Amino acid sequence: MRDLDVSARNKMIINDARSGTEIELYYRNPTTQEEVEYQSKLYKRKGNKLILNPKVKVDLGTAILTGFREGDFGVAGKPISSDPESPNYREDWKDLLGRMASDIISTFATVVYEGARVA
C-alpha cells in the first residue's frame, strides 16, 4: 500500500557498487511541483536532439533527501552523520553528498521521481 501521508522519513536502500555496501537513505515525499519540475527539466533540447540533464537528478534528489544511516558515508576513514544529535554530525552533509556521491543521488532521484526499481 502506498501511504499518501506527507513523510520526511521514507527509506530507500541502494547497493553501492563503489564501496560494495548497502546505503540507506531517508527522504521526504516530493511535491507535485517538484515532480513536474523533474520531468520538464530532465531533458533539454539541443537542435533536433534531446540531451539528458543529469544536474536535475542531483539537484532535485538532494532537495528531498532528509538523511542517511549513520556510518554509510565517511570522510578520511571516519563515519559522518546527518543526525544533528550525533557526535559524527556534519552540517554540510547534503552538499557533500551532492558533490562527492552524485552517482548515489542520481540513482536515488531516478527511483523516486521515475518509479524505477533498485536491486
Side-chain angles (χ1 to χ4, degrees):
M1 172 177 67
R2 184 181 207 178
D3 195 333
L4 299 178
D5 280 342
V6 176
S7 173
R9 195 66 170 177
N10 297 302
K11 178 173 75 171
M12 179 185 303
I13 296 176
I14 295 179
N15 293 315
D16 180 21
R18 293 185 188 176
S19 68
T21 63
E22 286 185 341
I23 293 180
E24 189 171 300
L25 300 175
Y26 310 120
Y27 64 99
R28 66 172 174 77
N29 299 347
T31 64
T32 298
Q33 181 58 40
E34 287 167 327
E35 299 261 8
V36 169
E37 183 180 356
Y38 179 90
Q39 295 298 333
S40 66
K41 292 183 176 179
L42 187 56
Y43 292 94
K44 52 186 171 181
R45 186 169 296 282
K46 191 168 188 178
N48 289 334
K49 295 182 180 180
L50 289 177
I51 308 293
L52 178 68
N53 183 3
K55 188 173 182 329
V56 169
K57 291 186 178 195
V58 175
D59 290 349
L60 289 173
T62 303
I64 63 170
L65 196 61
T66 60
F68 58 89
R69 180 174 53 199
E70 186 161 349
D72 281 357
F73 293 102
V75 174
K78 296 181 180 177
I80 64 169
S81 175
S82 59
D83 179 0
E85 302 297 318
S86 170
N88 297 320
Y89 176 66
R90 281 213 36 168
E91 191 172 339
D92 66 341
W93 68 268
K94 196 180 273 199
D95 179 57
L96 187 60
L97 265 60
R99 287 185 294 113
M100 303 305 293
S102 61
D103 59 320
I104 297 293
I105 303 300
S106 182
T107 299
F108 162 74
T110 301
V111 173
V112 173
Y113 286 101
E114 298 179 35
R117 292 179 63 109
V118 177

